[in-house]
Amino acid sequence: MRNYEKRSFFTTLVLFFIPLFLLSSVVLYMYHQEEIEEMEKNILYEMKDYSYDFKGDDFSLDIVEENKFKQVFTIYHDNGGLYAYFEIPSKGPYLLKIIFDEKKYQKLYKQMLKKIFEVGIIIFFLILLISIGFSFYSLRPMKQALYLLEDFLKDLIHDLNTPATSILLNARLLRKKGDFEEINRIELSAKSIASLYKNLELINPISLEKNETVDLEKLTEQKIVILQKMYPTIVFKKKAFSKVIKSNKNALDRILDNLLTNACKYNKKNGYVSIELIDNKIIIEDNGIGIKNTQKVFHRYYKENDNGMGIGLNIVQQLCDILNITIKIRSTLGIGTSIELSFSE
């Protein structure tokens, strides 16, 4: 299950489960109150039977004076337990007080509470199973729609690759006949299309082979050469470093391409992009326009202006997760952005 499917599944599960759980809790509470009333009613009738023959060890009795506050055949509570008043057959202003010990009452109450708790556990698991079933069921239409969209994207990616490759090849053939500025522009535009194609190709990565030897300095230098042509007013500050790691070259190419392209695209005129390696970290800094919300910037389709599709940094994060690369971003509006990539050993 993919990340967005997991989020949808758990959101639906929580939204369906919580109201049912709260409703069941109210019902159980009402059932609890009814059980207490039924238990005390049974005790009251047992007290009445006891008042006839005084047989049994469950009750104790006392004789008290009658007054208007003492209603017969009614349960009362105090620290000593439950008690009720009953009329005495003989004449006189007295009532028979029959007492049910608090310890005995608590024992009965705990037995009743255990039964309710067992019923509650059964109801809880039933609600959970129903909620899980409903969440899977509600997820099906979305999954089907997304799979159709992904199939469409795969076809689009395939169709996009052919003309982009053709444009690049023809641009190189034209260059042999003469080096014109227009050819450079065509070639750079074709490379931009190819970069978009590569992003779409990795829009939903699941697993990647990490057994290739990748020279990070060489890979970074290749990106800078291309981007320098596309953004001639940007100054690139690269501190020489040597770092070779075992990873996936295509995925690292996508990560660096997206990060460096964004650093150029959202920069100021005559701005700079700095690339530096410190220990096992690559730090990319720029003095561009900055990012408003660094928490949302990795969300798919999130963008803070009309440029782009909002998928580049989402792909970067997914690739970093798969390759065990920790990515951190700090940004201040109008000052610039710093992105740190930490490679695990």
Side-chain angles (χ1 to χ4, degrees):
M1 192 180 288
R2 292 163 184 169
N3 288 332
Y4 58 85
E5 291 177 341
K6 289 178 182 177
R7 287 196 299 270
S8 298
F9 172 79
F10 285 112
T11 301
T12 306
L13 178 65
V14 169
L15 290 176
F16 189 76
F17 175 80
I18 288 178
L20 285 179
F21 179 76
L22 292 174
L23 180 62
S24 300
S25 299
V26 171
V27 172
L28 279 174
Y29 176 76
M30 293 171 64
Y31 176 64
H32 167 265
Q33 295 302 108
E34 287 182 3
E35 284 292 298
I36 290 176
E37 290 179 10
E38 185 66 25
M39 183 176 67
E40 292 184 356
K41 189 185 293 184
N42 291 334
I43 292 172
L44 183 61
Y45 279 105
E46 289 176 10
M47 285 178 173
K48 184 179 180 181
D49 293 339
Y50 180 78
S51 68
Y52 294 142
D53 53 20
F54 305 120
K55 291 181 179 179
D57 300 324
D58 292 332
F59 306 101
S60 58
L61 54 86
D62 193 7
I63 304 295
V64 297
E65 291 187 3
E66 182 180 5
N67 61 48
K68 62 180 181 179
F69 300 108
K70 296 173 182 174
Q71 298 181 14
V72 296
F73 204 65
T74 301
I75 286 286
Y76 291 94
H77 290 262
D78 66 9
N79 294 333
L82 275 66
Y83 61 92
Y85 300 108
F86 296 90
E87 293 180 348
I88 299 176
S90 61
K91 294 181 179 180
Y94 296 102
L95 292 174
L96 185 64
K97 180 181 179 182
I98 299 179
I99 305 164
F100 187 67
D101 186 68
E102 176 67 18
K103 291 182 180 178
K104 294 178 181 178
Y105 175 76
Q106 287 299 326
K107 184 178 180 181
L108 286 177
Y109 177 74
K110 288 177 181 177
Q111 290 173 354
M112 180 268 292
L113 206 60
K114 182 182 177 183
K115 182 177 73 173
I116 293 175
F117 181 76
E118 290 171 351
V119 172
I121 291 293
I122 294 170
I123 291 174
F124 172 83
F125 280 108
L126 282 175
I127 291 173
L128 184 61
L129 289 174
I130 292 170
S131 300
I132 291 171
F134 177 80
S135 299
F136 275 118
Y137 179 76
S138 63
L139 201 63
R140 284 180 61 191
M142 185 191 75
K143 288 177 71 174
Q144 290 171 355
L146 287 170
Y147 288 149
L148 285 173
L149 179 62
E150 286 179 9
D151 288 340
F152 168 75
L153 281 174
K154 287 176 184 177
D155 293 338
L156 178 65
I157 290 166
H158 182 267
D159 293 340
L160 187 65
N161 185 41
T162 303
T165 304
S166 178
I167 293 170
L168 277 171
L169 289 173
N170 282 282
R172 288 170 185 170
L173 289 173
L174 284 172
R175 191 183 293 281
K176 291 181 180 180
K177 296 182 180 180
D179 194 3
F180 303 102
E181 181 62 27
E182 289 79 3
I183 295 175
N184 286 332
R185 292 174 185 169
I186 291 171
E187 191 171 1
L188 290 173
S189 297
K191 286 179 178 178
S192 295
I193 296 172
S195 178
L196 175 60
Y197 155 75
K198 290 176 181 177
N199 273 348
L200 291 172
E201 198 174 32
L202 290 171
I203 196 165
N204 281 318
I206 297 173
S207 62
L208 295 168
E209 293 291 332
K210 293 177 276 189
N211 53 7
E212 296 176 284
T213 301
V214 184
D215 187 331
L216 290 176
E217 183 180 17
K218 185 177 179 181
L219 191 61
T220 304
E221 190 61 47
Q222 290 171 352
K223 293 297 165 191
I224 291 174
V225 170
I226 297 171
L227 289 169
Q228 189 70 80
K229 293 178 181 179
M230 296 177 68
Y231 301 94
T233 63
I234 299 294
V235 177
F236 287 89
K237 301 178 180 179
K238 175 180 171 290
K239 294 188 178 180
F241 59 82
S242 179
K243 183 70 175 177
V244 178
I245 62 172
K246 283 285 184 181
S247 189
N248 184 287
K249 187 176 181 179
N250 186 36
L252 284 173
D253 181 90
R254 287 296 82 222
I255 291 170
L256 292 172
D257 183 84
N258 278 292
L259 295 178
L260 290 172
T261 300
N262 281 353
C264 296
K265 189 188 297 184
Y266 303 110
N267 214 314
K268 300 172 183 176
K269 189 176 181 180
N270 300 320
Y272 73 85
V273 175
S274 169
I275 305 101
E276 182 179 9
L277 178 73
I278 302 174
D279 297 327
N280 288 318
K281 299 176 182 178
I282 288 183
I283 300 171
I284 300 171
E285 292 183 350
D286 65 70
N287 63 337
I289 62 175
I291 299 169
K292 294 177 185 176
N293 195 328
T294 56
Q295 300 298 318
K296 291 184 178 180
V297 76
F298 292 113
H299 293 182
R300 182 167 294 183
Y301 308 125
Y302 174 79
K303 51 184 183 177
E304 296 183 348
N305 51 59
D306 295 332
N307 295 331
M309 297 173 63
I311 62 171
L313 287 180
N314 176 260
I315 291 171
V316 166
Q317 186 182 46
Q318 291 188 73
L319 293 175
C320 285
D321 290 341
I322 294 172
L323 298 178
N324 297 321
I325 300 171
T326 302
I327 182 167
K328 295 179 182 178
I329 183 166
R330 294 184 301 275
S331 185
T332 305
L333 284 176
I335 296 178
T337 301
S338 173
I339 296 178
E340 180 180 287
L341 298 173
S342 299
F343 297 88
S344 59
E345 290 292 345

